[in-house]
Amino acid sequence: MLRLLAAHKPAVLAIVVLQLVQTTANLLLPTLNASVVDDGIVKGNTDLILQLGGWMAAIAAVQVAAALAAGYLSANVAMKLGRQLRLELFAKVQTLSSQEVATFGVPSLVTRATNDVQQIQALAVLVFTMLVAAPAMGIGGIVLALNQDVALSGILVAIVPVLVLIMYVIVRRLVPLYREGQVLIDRISSVLREQIIGANVIRAFVRQAHEARRFAVVNRDLTRNNLQSALLVAGMLPLIMIVVNLSSVGVVWFGGHRIQAGEMQIGALTAFIAYILQILIAIMMAMYVLMTAPRAAACAERIGAVLDTRPAIADPPVSRSGLPHGRRTPGGTVEFRDVTFSYPGAEAPVLDSISFTASPGTITAIIGSTGSGKSTLINLLPRFLDATAGDVMIGGHNVRSLPLHFLRDSLSLVPQRAYLFAGTVAENLRIAAPHASDEDLFRALRTAQAEDFVRELPQGLNSAVGQGGTNLSGGQRQRLCIARALLRDAPVYLFDDSLSALDYATDARLRQALAPLTRRSTVIIVAERIATILDAGLILVLDQGRLVAQGTHAELMRTSTVYQEIAASQLALGGSL
């Protein structure tokens, strides 16, 4: 926070100066008013009344101008502070691995970047508005009240500690409530997200009542938490107003007796009452800050936890001079050398001692039962995950030695889950190649067997795509993701089970269209259907995280029992080999 504020140092200094001007003007007005009453009205000095009235009007104008300027600058700096926090959170999340994102949780990260930042912005506006005004008004009010009448100031000695005690007791209880509240917001966001995304599953199994009860539980907990904190905040104001009103009654009562005894003038009493109110206003301002601060502090802790996270997967400390020369990317040969991967705390590794070489000009296929580690193996190449042992090599370079942007620029990936972004078809495709022409887009679509359905869309390449591609079928999404990957000219292409939604005829045409890629690039395909990988130059067979066999289809049908079992099961289900 201090680092971000330092970037706005001139504006913060201007806010401080404007607040001092505003507070000074506010403190001067009661004294001038007292002089108008005691030296002007009581003594009938019209000239003095006009003179002091003119000064009061001028000071009031300065006060208004300073307040407006301070308010504008405060809001401006607070909003820029929020914007910077959101930018830093977004940038940090982009560097986190999938494991680290899962640790925080997607709903929690969204809440931290929106609701939590908003709470900090709200506190920043209050602090900038009252940072100098509240203490200056409180201290100045006490000094000037003493200047008006020392004896009557004893009331201040009695009420200020009471007000401070009230605020301390309430704020102390608010801090844990607000911290718990932010966690409950994460929880209700998580449940809502699951229920919205899984709406069809819930309806299919008639689980609406169960999900309604599950939501009711987290909703009740959040309501209870918010109610407790709201009651504390609501109770603070009446308690303070009771003290304020009693002190005002005391001032008028004792002040009236002192005026009657000739020990105090009427103007001095009005000024004293005004200063008492200003002191109480300063305390009220502090109260509002203290009410907002606990929630903002809890939010700042949560945001700090994300920003302070050191990504497990980061760029190596290598200069650009250490990168391969003469090419944009390091080359296409992929090599795994005794690679093992385990999730933290897992009893057994997901991948165990994997070794193979995939060369340009050859399709390398990976096949195995569900949960055998196929997708995990693919994710080690772009360093979405890092191997816990062994070396993953691309173009003769260990992937850990390459800058992430350089490494990932040498790969083109079709993920297991065909995900599209809100926008147009063209915008989704150009994620891989921002400067690609329409002709390039249609060439990639043609190879991916997606040209026909895109041309049939109402606006072709400019047709809208819903978030996640929800307005397209599974096969259409998959083919668009393939086209997006093909649009990039990369040494290595990774297809993570990305042909599963295609029928056999489309699959065959696509594999035939992909053939030219193998002449210059390494193609690695994770497959479920053996029919998809019959022509692969190298097939890797995974079983429970181990590489149990590798070779061509013909070789594996002779030598690998696991491969034979997979082939037999697909033949039994009517698959064609």
Side-chain angles (χ1 to χ4, degrees):
M1 287 290 291
L2 293 176
R3 174 181 56 82
L4 295 177
L5 287 175
H8 302 285
K9 187 176 179 180
V12 173
L13 290 175
I15 292 169
V16 170
V17 171
L18 288 168
Q19 286 186 6
L20 285 173
V21 171
Q22 175 192 355
T23 306
T24 302
N26 203 35
L27 289 169
L28 285 174
L29 289 174
T31 298
L32 291 175
N33 186 61
S35 297
V36 169
V37 174
D38 294 335
D39 299 329
I41 297 175
V42 174
K43 296 179 180 180
N45 190 340
T46 305
D47 292 337
L48 182 62
I49 292 172
L50 292 173
Q51 183 182 356
L52 292 176
W55 277 109
M56 290 177 71
I59 290 172
V62 170
Q63 180 188 14
V64 170
L68 290 173
Y72 172 80
L73 286 176
S74 298
N76 188 271
V77 173
M79 296 308 108
K80 287 181 178 178
L81 179 68
R83 179 186 65 184
Q84 187 61 32
L85 275 175
R86 284 190 292 269
L87 285 172
E88 291 192 10
L89 277 168
F90 178 82
K92 173 61 72 172
V93 170
Q94 296 302 306
T95 68
L96 300 179
S97 68
S98 55
Q99 290 173 270
E100 290 160 338
V101 170
T103 299
F104 287 108
V106 173
S108 179
L109 289 172
V110 172
T111 301
R112 293 175 201 228
T114 52
N115 181 271
D116 289 8
V117 171
Q118 228 171 5
Q119 297 298 330
I120 291 175
Q121 282 181 319
L123 176 65
V125 171
L126 285 177
V127 168
F128 289 142
T129 304
M130 305 172 185
L131 178 67
V132 176
M137 187 179 294
I139 296 170
I142 292 171
V143 171
L144 291 172
L146 287 168
N147 184 57
Q148 294 296 328
D149 192 281
V150 176
L152 202 57
S153 299
I155 295 174
L156 293 175
V157 178
I159 65 169
V160 170
V162 175
L163 292 172
V164 172
L165 179 62
I166 290 171
M167 288 190 294
Y168 171 76
V169 171
I170 292 178
V171 169
R172 185 179 179 183
R173 180 70 185 105
L174 280 174
V175 172
L177 280 175
Y178 282 150
R179 188 175 288 118
E180 180 191 15
Q182 295 307 116
V183 174
L184 291 171
I185 289 174
D186 284 349
R187 192 179 301 168
I188 201 169
S189 298
S190 178
V191 172
L192 271 172
R193 184 173 183 271
E194 284 183 349
Q195 292 176 341
I196 292 170
I197 293 175
N200 287 340
V201 176
I202 294 169
R203 294 181 191 125
F205 290 95
V206 196
R207 299 291 288 172
Q208 291 94 329
H210 172 269
E211 292 300 318
R213 288 193 296 271
R214 192 160 73 98
F215 180 77
V217 170
V218 293
N219 191 29
R220 184 187 63 235
D221 291 342
L222 181 60
T223 302
R224 176 186 50 78
N225 175 274
N226 288 345
L227 184 60
Q228 288 180 348
S229 57
L231 287 174
L232 284 171
V233 172
M236 183 184 289
L237 186 59
L239 288 172
I240 289 178
M241 289 310 298
I242 288 172
V243 177
V244 169
N245 291 331
L246 288 175
S247 64
S248 299
V249 170
V251 168
V252 173
W253 175 266
F254 291 110
H257 282 288
R258 289 182 61 76
I259 290 172
Q260 189 176 19
E263 296 172 347
M264 188 178 190
Q265 293 181 312
I266 295 174
L269 178 60
T270 60
F272 192 91
I273 293 172
Y275 287 127
I276 286 285
L277 291 175
Q278 288 192 9
I279 294 167
L280 297 175
I281 288 171
I283 293 174
M284 295 283 284
M285 291 165 67
M287 178 193 73
Y288 283 119
V289 173
L290 290 173
M291 283 193 304
T292 309
R295 188 186 292 273
C299 294
E301 288 177 9
R302 287 155 49 83
I303 290 172
V306 178
L307 295 179
D308 293 340
T309 299
R310 180 173 295 179
I313 298 173
D315 281 325
V318 178
S319 65
R320 291 288 297 182
S321 59
L323 298 178
H325 293 285
R327 289 198 62 174
R328 177 173 59 87
T329 51
T333 300
V334 172
E335 186 178 0
F336 276 55
R337 299 177 181 173
D338 202 26
V339 171
T340 297
F341 175 79
S342 298
Y343 286 104
E347 295 181 358
V350 179
L351 296 173
D352 190 6
S353 303
I354 304 294
S355 297
F356 69 90
T357 300
S359 303
T362 303
I363 291 179
T364 300
I366 305 171
I367 196 166
S369 59
T370 301
S372 59
K374 303 185 295 297
S375 293
T376 301
L377 188 150
I378 287 288
N379 287 332
L380 294 175
L381 284 164
R383 292 190 69 197
F384 296 155
L385 300 169
D386 262 345
T388 49
D391 298 311
V392 180
M393 314 290 290
I394 292 184
H397 298 267
N398 192 310
V399 293
R400 293 176 184 267
S401 69
L402 297 171
L404 289 173
H405 72 91
F406 188 79
L407 166 66
R408 291 166 183 172
D409 197 38
S410 68
L411 305 170
S412 196
L413 171 69
V414 184
Q416 186 175 32
R417 181 190 174 197
Y419 190 86
L420 299 172
F421 296 88
T424 65
V425 172
E427 288 169 348
N428 271 278
L429 296 177
R430 288 193 173 105
I431 288 174
H435 304 294
S437 65
D438 286 357
E439 184 180 346
D440 294 330
L441 300 186
F442 277 115
R443 187 181 303 115
L445 289 168
R446 194 174 304 120
T447 303
Q449 308 303 303
E451 182 183 15
D452 291 343
F453 91 78
V454 169
R455 289 192 182 277
E456 291 172 1
L457 292 174
Q459 293 178 294
L461 289 173
N462 295 317
S463 297
V465 175
Q467 186 177 23
T470 52
N471 58 335
L472 299 172
S473 70
Q476 290 173 333
R477 289 197 299 270
Q478 205 163 56
R479 281 179 282 168
L480 285 179
C481 288
I482 293 170
R484 180 173 63 193
L486 298 180
L487 199 58
R488 171 181 284 183
D489 182 16
V492 179
Y493 289 89
L494 306 174
F495 296 84
D496 186 3
D497 192 18
S498 49
L499 308 177
S500 59
L502 305 183
D503 60 80
Y504 280 100
T506 304
D507 184 359
R509 291 196 301 271
L510 176 58
R511 282 187 284 118
Q512 186 178 4
L514 287 175
L517 289 176
T518 61
R519 300 193 189 105
R520 63 182 187 277
S521 301
T522 299
V523 179
I524 300 178
I525 298 175
V526 170
E528 295 289 343
R529 298 191 306 231
I530 287 181
T532 303
I533 57 173
L534 289 175
D535 300 328
L538 177 65
I539 300 173
L540 309 176
V541 184
L542 293 181
D543 185 38
Q544 297 182 358
R546 299 188 65 86
L547 182 58
V548 295
Q550 55 181 307
T552 63
H553 170 69
E555 292 169 347
L556 293 173
M557 287 297 289
R558 292 193 305 269
T559 61
S560 173
T561 303
V562 174
Y563 190 79
Q564 291 168 3
E565 289 175 354
I566 295 172
S569 66
Q570 293 189 13
L571 281 171
L573 293 172
S576 173
L577 299 180

